[in-house]
Amino acid sequence: MNNQSNHGFPPNIDPQLFAWLACAIGSACVGDYNSNEQNSFGNWLILVGQFILTTAAQQQLINGRNRSHNTGESWNSLGSNNNQEQINFLINAVNDLKQELENLKNQL
């Protein structure tokens, strides 16, 4: 695959039009398919999108690390003064989710 942007796809068109085109294509793809076939095809399309997003995210990660390395800043020290605060926030969020799941479980 070509890593350089050639501005071919997606085209430089109005973002709302681009979204509406996706709606039209999605509607056309439904056609005469039953719900099982639609579900299978829709999940396949989502997997294609996830693959594209995962590849792009990994490339962004590598680029960010290389950029930090080139500036002399360690990529894992970015925002390190705020790491403990972020860790505490995530721990609290996980605990909140556990409590919410326990509440839902008790309601069943």
Side-chain angles (χ1 to χ4, degrees):
M1 296 207 120
N2 185 359
N3 285 336
Q4 294 179 337
S5 177
N6 62 7
H7 302 290
F9 188 84
N12 290 335
I13 61 173
D14 178 71
Q16 288 184 342
L17 176 59
F18 192 61
W20 279 109
L21 285 172
C23 290
I25 291 169
S27 180
C29 288
V30 171
D32 295 328
Y33 299 115
N34 66 38
S35 60
N36 288 335
E37 293 166 332
Q38 292 172 16
N39 193 13
S40 177
F41 183 62
N43 277 298
W44 181 82
L45 286 174
I46 290 170
L47 177 60
V48 170
Q50 281 300 122
F51 179 83
I52 293 168
L53 291 170
T54 301
T55 303
Q58 185 64 17
Q59 188 61 54
Q60 285 179 321
L61 174 69
I62 292 167
N63 291 346
R65 287 179 176 173
N66 288 340
R67 198 169 29 255
S68 296
H69 178 71
N70 291 339
T71 61
E73 183 176 11
S74 173
W75 66 268
N76 60 359
S77 68
L78 295 174
S80 61
N81 59 345
N82 200 21
N83 284 347
Q84 190 59 49
E85 185 178 317
Q86 291 175 358
I87 290 169
N88 291 338
F89 173 81
L90 291 172
I91 290 170
N92 289 334
V94 168
N95 289 334
D96 290 344
L97 287 171
K98 284 181 184 178
Q99 183 61 46
E100 190 64 30
L101 287 172
E102 191 63 37
N103 291 344
L104 289 171
K105 185 174 123 181
N106 290 336
Q107 291 176 1
L108 295 177

